[in-house]
Amino acid sequence: MRVGIPKGLLYCKYHPFFETFFRGLGAEIVNSEDTSKNILNMGVKVCVDEACLPVKIYHGHAASIKDRCDLLVVPRIMQVHRNEYICPKFCGLPEMIVHSIPGMPPVTSAPLYMHSKKSLFQWCVSSGSAITRSRSRIRHAFELALKAQNSHKTGIMDQKDITVMLAGHPYIVYDAFLNMDIVNKLKAKGIGILTEEFAPCAASESQVKKLLKKPFWTFQRNLFGASAALYEQKKIHGIIYLSSFACGIDSVVIDLIRFHTGDFPMLVIKFDEHTGEAGVDTRLEAFTDMLERRVLNEDNRPTYGQCLYSRQNPV
Amino acid sequence: MYSLGIDVGSVSTNLVLLDNNNNVVEKLYVRTRGKPMEAVQLVLSEIRKKYDSKQIYSAGTTGSGRMIASIQIGADIVKNEITAHAVAAIQTEKDVRTVLEIGGQDSKIIIIRDGVVTDFAMNTVCAAGTGSFLDRQAERLGIPIEEFGDHALKAAVPVRIAGRCAVFAESDMIHKQQLGYNTCDIIAGLCDALVRNYLSNVAKGKEILPKVIFQGGVAANSGIHRAFEKALNMPVIIPEHYDVMGALGAAILAREKVNRERAGTRFKGFSVSESSFKSKSFVCSGCSNQCEVVSVLENQQPVGYFGDRCGKYNQFTASATG
């Protein structure tokens, strides 16, 4: 039995669970390759036009391995936290995939409530039934999968003289093709990076509590809470928010952060199918130029028109 | 000794020559027409008629074509448009606090406090409300772009045009025009729509304080200028060299850098306007990324590469431009 796991969307967060579970049942795991131009082209070709870029890329990943596996794992992730939802596109992902890509093998379609052990187990029973009917084998593989998942950590913590928070949905932050390798671009400029995973939990929670209403989306809780906490604790000099074009959740979250942080430097970069990097490079370069000058000038406000490019402060 | 600045933008390529006191002694503005390398050679061959290569103290490039131009001419500094525009704005108006800049494909707002850039924003993926859109509408209406603004000023009652998206704006304009609205009123409506879109999109949440200066090619459009003054309810200054501010900034930054490093200029000389520049693109098959790599050839010799993600080729470029 070959089980295909596309490397798109929340794969970066949850792949140990799925891979360990199916490997525990004796299946062979077939992964798609890292996102590439081929994957993007395939995804754009089959996916509905209105979807966001990460969903299109997910379609490309699924299409690239569909002929090499007997079962494709398309997680229908409903919730990650109790009483909160993630993006609505996840709820209908299996249907989208099956109806957009011709010639699909069977796909997993049971819903996943990641915060509930019971729901996860039910998913395993339903999805594992294609391989085995033995409850005990499923139970064993499930326990291994949970363990693997719990020891899986993501995030970037690399603090330097100038550090930015790299915010955005995980599948944008951790997909180097989609985000035009922004992590290495920042590294090359000597800029430190913090991601939402390294924001102090308690401080994030207390920021979220200050909102007018409880967040509906988990992405909103994580991104707003982390940005606000890192900003309040002065751990960062700016925020770079990576967003895919036409993301509904981001349209709310970006403004929530802006409203909270006032004139704190924040750069929003929108990604779509562009592969020309000049636009991103210009924005990053200008943003880091600005941060460098702001930091250097914090204690030493210049007289008019003098400090922008002095010898002590080369551009 | 002069400092040379070249701004290779999507619509125009500009060159300025500054004297030792950063006064503009020459400026050239040509259309890029999708051929950045030819445009750079064209401006260089023009300037060559009056100046000698030895008179050039420093050279800088900016604009979306800054990398390719720097390889061509041997630039001392390659700087993004935001920084270049901000430097030029501060040089021109010492106490500027807001810079509105609308170019061919980009529009940006730069917030300056006490002579330091404190915030900026650029348009996102959509190019609605930039010069190339105005260009296209002028062409569709058969009005030379130079006269577009004057038509707007003649309007009695500006018509409301949807400004959110270039495609929507165009269809709205066509519908209004087919209903018989006056062309001047439609153009004035378009100017208002562009400004509305700029203020609610690019400039959203930014504190616009005077002095406000408006630069970039679109500043030539008196209709947009008036629409800005009306919407902001404050005077908007258009600097004398509004159309070449990027190049001006690049020239200033280049001089600073050569002063700082004391190693002389890397400028290759005006003779490069005679070299034959070609570019050749190929798909690298080194990995699954399949990057589209462009190599720039000067007299058949490769002088630079772009477009590869891993740096296999553009390492070479980096060492060439420093």
Side-chain angles (χ1 to χ4, degrees):
Chain A
M1 184 84 169
R2 296 163 307 166
V3 175
I5 304 184
K7 265 193 195 173
L9 294 175
L10 289 175
Y11 172 90
C12 53
K13 284 273 179 190
Y14 298 118
H15 66 91
F17 180 80
F18 298 113
E19 286 169 358
T20 315
F21 174 68
F22 285 105
R23 210 171 275 135
L25 293 184
E28 177 198 338
I29 305 291
V30 180
N31 280 130
S32 53
E33 59 181 41
D34 287 348
T35 308
S36 65
K37 197 160 78 178
N38 276 338
I39 299 272
L40 172 68
N41 286 345
M42 248 188 281
V44 170
K45 204 169 126 196
V46 295
C47 184
V48 293
D49 186 48
E50 293 82 4
C52 64
L53 186 63
V55 168
K56 288 182 182 167
I57 286 177
Y58 188 85
H59 278 65
H61 281 287
S64 75
I65 52 170
K66 71 177 166 77
D67 298 329
R68 287 188 280 134
C69 56
D70 309 305
L71 174 72
L72 197 76
V73 179
V74 183
R76 187 198 302 277
I77 301 179
M78 306 296 287
Q79 292 186 336
V80 182
H81 282 283
R82 196 172 300 282
N83 297 330
E84 283 171 11
Y85 289 83
I86 60 169
C87 166
K89 282 173 187 127
F90 286 81
C91 316
L93 198 58
E95 283 76 17
M96 242 176 138
I97 291 286
V98 169
H99 290 103
S100 301
I101 308 175
M104 284 298 288
V107 302
T108 63
S109 66
L112 275 155
Y113 296 82
M114 306 301 279
H115 55 82
S116 146
K117 198 174 166 183
K118 201 173 136 203
S119 153
L120 280 174
F121 183 64
Q122 275 167 0
W123 184 89
C124 288
V125 171
S126 151
S127 305
S129 65
I131 300 173
T132 176
R133 296 223 163 266
S134 155
R135 276 254 172 181
S136 62
R137 274 182 71 197
I138 288 181
R139 170 68 68 184
H140 180 66
F142 169 69
E143 294 294 345
L144 288 177
L146 268 190
K147 218 169 135 193
Q149 182 60 41
N150 287 335
S151 60
H152 175 61
K153 296 277 176 281
T154 57
I156 304 169
M157 182 164 71
D158 175 24
Q159 277 169 298
K160 299 211 173 109
D161 291 346
I162 296 176
T163 301
V164 296
M165 173 180 177
L166 198 59
H169 300 213
Y171 41 81
I172 298 182
V173 173
Y174 300 120
D175 188 331
F177 181 86
L178 196 164
N179 67 31
M180 300 185 174
D181 209 9
I182 211 154
V183 172
N184 284 323
K185 282 187 169 152
L186 287 171
K187 275 188 186 155
K189 289 182 191 301
I191 302 290
I193 298 174
L194 274 179
T195 53
E196 62 179 29
E197 292 91 336
F198 290 99
C201 282
S204 300
E205 270 309 300
S206 76
Q207 291 297 337
V208 170
K209 286 222 171 73
K210 288 186 200 159
L211 288 172
L212 273 177
K213 69 181 274 292
K214 206 159 59 71
F216 183 79
W217 300 295
T218 301
F219 290 126
Q220 177 190 359
R221 163 188 296 279
N222 293 349
L223 287 165
F224 172 79
S227 313
L230 290 172
Y231 160 75
E232 294 288 346
Q233 300 191 342
K234 298 193 165 41
K235 296 218 161 138
I236 47 174
H237 300 98
I239 299 170
I240 298 182
Y241 196 109
L242 311 179
S243 169
S244 66
F245 181 60
C247 175
I249 296 175
D250 282 350
S251 69
V252 174
V253 178
I254 289 169
D255 277 351
L256 275 179
I257 298 174
R258 277 227 171 98
F259 188 70
H260 184 86
T261 58
D263 61 1
F264 188 65
M266 175 164 170
L267 176 71
V268 177
I269 300 183
K270 297 249 179 203
F271 293 97
D272 204 47
E273 289 168 37
H274 307 56
T275 47
E277 302 192 4
V280 167
D281 290 346
T282 296
R283 285 160 177 81
L284 277 186
E285 191 187 310
F287 192 69
T288 51
D289 272 0
M290 178 179 82
L291 293 185
E292 278 163 14
R293 284 195 300 269
R294 271 178 81 116
V295 171
L296 284 165
N297 286 311
E298 248 166 18
D299 313 317
N300 180 21
R301 297 298 287 176
T303 48
Y304 281 165
Q306 288 205 332
C307 211
L308 194 67
Y309 46 93
S310 68
R311 264 186 94 178
Q312 294 75 31
N313 185 10
V315 175
Chain B
M1 294 291 271
Y2 298 107
S3 186
L4 174 78
I6 299 184
D7 177 354
V8 185
S10 59
V11 171
S12 71
T13 295
N14 319 319
L15 175 150
V16 297
L17 214 51
L18 303 182
D19 67 12
N20 285 332
N21 299 318
N22 286 342
N23 296 314
V24 176
V25 291
E26 287 292 338
K27 68 171 183 176
L28 288 170
Y29 181 101
V30 301
R31 294 246 157 186
T32 308
R33 297 194 195 283
K35 298 196 174 81
M37 288 192 284
E38 286 176 22
V40 168
Q41 287 192 289
L42 178 67
V43 288
L44 285 179
S45 62
E46 278 299 312
I47 211 83
R48 186 185 192 186
K49 291 174 189 160
K50 287 163 75 177
Y51 298 90
D52 186 76
S53 302
K54 293 197 189 78
Q55 290 174 283
I56 301 301
Y57 176 74
S58 54
T61 60
T62 185
S64 45
R66 60 186 180 278
M67 286 308 295
I68 210 164
S70 84
I71 287 181
Q72 268 183 290
I73 70 164
D76 298 304
I77 195 164
V78 186
K79 208 69 216 174
N80 63 82
E81 304 87 289
I82 308 256
T83 307
H85 274 280
V87 166
I90 294 165
Q91 163 82 18
T92 315
E93 290 286 340
K94 291 272 176 274
D95 45 356
V96 58
R97 290 199 285 176
T98 310
V99 180
L100 315 172
E101 200 272 344
I102 306 187
Q105 201 187 32
D106 283 334
S107 50
K108 34 192 163 306
I109 183 166
I110 308 172
I111 304 295
I112 297 171
R113 297 290 182 262
D114 303 333
V116 177
V117 176
T118 60
D119 201 2
F120 72 89
M122 271 175 105
N123 58 333
T124 52
V125 278
C126 175
T130 57
S132 46
F133 173 62
L134 284 177
D135 249 9
R136 161 146 177 68
Q137 294 313 318
E139 197 183 298
R140 200 176 60 77
L141 295 168
I143 297 169
I145 186 72
E146 295 77 16
E147 293 167 22
F148 208 68
D150 298 333
H151 275 78
L153 295 184
K154 283 187 215 143
V157 189
V159 175
R160 196 183 196 288
I161 304 282
R164 181 96 187 82
C165 156
V167 178
F168 294 172
E170 180 162 335
S171 59
D172 210 12
M173 279 174 73
I174 293 174
H175 291 160
K176 298 259 154 89
Q177 154 204 326
Q178 305 299 59
L179 285 172
Y181 287 91
N182 185 316
T183 308
C184 291
D185 292 350
I186 294 178
I187 294 177
L190 179 67
C191 293
D192 286 347
L194 277 189
V195 166
R196 199 166 56 232
N197 184 36
Y198 177 94
L199 293 176
S200 63
N201 184 349
V202 181
K204 186 164 77 178
K206 305 273 180 269
E207 196 184 14
I208 297 178
L209 297 176
K211 282 179 177 173
V212 179
I213 76 171
F214 179 24
Q215 58 197 39
V218 175
N221 187 316
S222 45
I224 302 276
H225 182 207
R226 190 188 62 171
F228 265 124
E229 292 199 318
K230 204 167 70 182
L232 294 174
N233 199 19
M234 57 176 82
V236 172
I237 301 162
I238 297 185
E240 186 190 350
H241 304 294
Y242 68 89
D243 51 346
V244 295
M245 293 296 267
L248 210 164
I252 297 172
L253 289 166
R255 183 187 296 281
E256 295 289 338
K257 183 152 185 216
V258 172
N259 278 346
R260 199 164 57 231
E261 293 185 348
R262 298 174 189 282
T265 181
R266 290 201 186 91
F267 182 58
K268 291 186 193 166
F270 289 123
S271 58
V272 294
S273 66
E274 278 175 11
S275 299
S276 118
F277 281 100
K278 285 218 172 79
S279 62
K280 205 173 70 181
S281 54
F282 58 94
V283 174
C284 171
S285 50
C287 75
S288 62
N289 279 343
Q290 298 195 304
C291 297
E292 293 153 14
V293 185
V294 176
S295 68
V296 178
L297 307 171
E298 180 179 0
N299 301 328
Q300 277 88 47
Q301 292 297 313
V303 286
Y305 293 92
F306 302 104
D308 53 324
R309 285 179 168 230
C310 67
K312 179 171 160 189
Y313 293 99
N314 69 28
Q315 272 173 351
F316 179 72
T317 311
S319 62
T321 57

